[in-house]
Amino acid sequence: MPDTHNTVYVVDDDAGMLESTQWLLESVGLKVKAYSDGRQFLDAVEDQRPGCVVLDIRMPGLGGLNVQEELQKRGLDVPIIFVSGHADVPIVVRAFKSGAFDFIEKPFNEQLLLDSVQQALQDADDPAPNATPAASTEALIASMTRREKDVFLPLAQGYTSKEIAEQLDVSVKTIDLYRARVMKRLGAERLPDVTGLAIAAGLLNPLELRQPAQPE
């Protein structure tokens, strides 16, 4: 069986996006296999385990969530990076609850995708950092993707989604998605819990918390 452990599988029904994503990943030396629909991809990996999958969530026929479900039925625990130009919170939440590694909105920042893919491959190669229930807060934070870390600290400091979106030059919706992802990863149900975990990890001084604006 060929070694596919470090292969990135890209699945997207948009031919232009498929080609450009393949080119981007290959430009940094990654081995890539591209597929225009979910069924074609599943047939190709029937007896293999890819390093990670960059998967469009909305496709005719077999959509990204269906592909994710089928991989799980086969016992293939593969890091999945979902991409979509029409992301909405319920779909993203469902994807993350089902174990998605990351979710990136189209059109995406190329470096953001590359960073996510590299971390997904690293986690696939060494799954130990992925937290167990007994894992420390530090290990949980260390396992975050780059964008999660970008959102985590301002969130812990008390900045709103709108303010964080302005800082990172992305949409508020994107920040809301990553905020949900950060809280899920940390097992935090409320924003004060996120603040408490950042303080406990030594990443935030309680004196640095952002004070709410005073009414004029």
Side-chain angles (χ1 to χ4, degrees):
M1 183 187 305
D3 179 14
T4 59
H5 192 59
N6 289 317
T7 300
V8 182
Y9 284 64
V10 181
V11 189
D12 198 317
D13 66 300
D14 182 327
M17 181 62 68
L18 184 66
E19 182 178 359
S20 63
T21 303
Q22 181 176 7
W23 179 87
L24 172 66
L25 296 171
E26 289 179 340
S27 73
V28 295
L30 294 171
K31 182 179 179 181
V32 181
K33 292 189 177 182
Y35 300 92
S36 59
D37 67 76
R39 180 56 61 190
Q40 185 184 34
F41 160 67
L42 289 171
D43 289 343
V45 298
E46 188 168 358
D47 298 314
Q48 302 174 7
R49 184 186 185 282
C52 75
V53 183
V54 178
L55 181 61
D56 188 15
I57 205 163
R58 293 182 183 271
M59 295 182 289
L62 205 63
L65 292 173
N66 301 119
V67 172
Q68 180 187 39
E69 183 180 359
E70 181 61 30
L71 288 172
Q72 292 172 341
K73 287 180 180 178
R74 298 182 185 184
L76 291 173
D77 184 17
V78 181
I80 296 176
I81 300 168
F82 280 111
V83 293
S84 177
H86 308 282
D88 59 72
V89 173
I91 288 180
V92 177
V93 169
R94 179 181 167 189
F96 281 147
K97 283 185 176 180
S98 297
F101 180 81
D102 205 350
F103 196 110
I104 300 175
E105 281 190 286
K106 298 177 183 178
F108 47 74
N109 176 283
E110 292 184 352
Q111 191 59 51
L112 180 61
L113 178 66
L114 291 174
D115 288 345
S116 188
V117 167
Q118 293 286 8
Q119 184 164 358
L121 291 173
Q122 181 180 342
D123 283 10
D125 189 52
D126 180 16
N130 286 339
T132 63
S136 66
T137 299
E138 290 85 350
L140 287 171
I141 294 171
S143 72
M144 288 180 179
T145 65
R146 178 181 176 182
R147 182 46 57 94
E148 287 173 346
K149 290 177 181 177
D150 287 342
V151 171
F152 166 64
L153 200 55
L155 186 64
Q157 290 174 311
Y159 286 91
T160 65
S161 292
K162 182 179 179 181
E163 290 167 333
I164 300 173
E166 291 173 352
Q167 291 173 20
L168 301 180
D169 194 26
V170 297
S171 70
V172 174
K173 181 172 69 173
T174 294
I175 298 302
D176 284 339
L177 298 179
Y178 276 95
R179 182 169 113 168
R181 174 74 183 266
V182 166
M183 294 181 70
K184 176 180 179 292
R185 188 182 286 276
L186 296 176
E189 296 183 358
R190 304 174 305 120
L191 288 178
D193 297 333
V194 176
T195 300
L197 289 168
I199 293 172
L203 298 175
L204 182 62
N205 186 322
L207 298 179
E208 295 177 352
L209 296 183
R210 184 170 182 270
Q211 298 300 316
Q214 298 296 323
E216 297 180 359

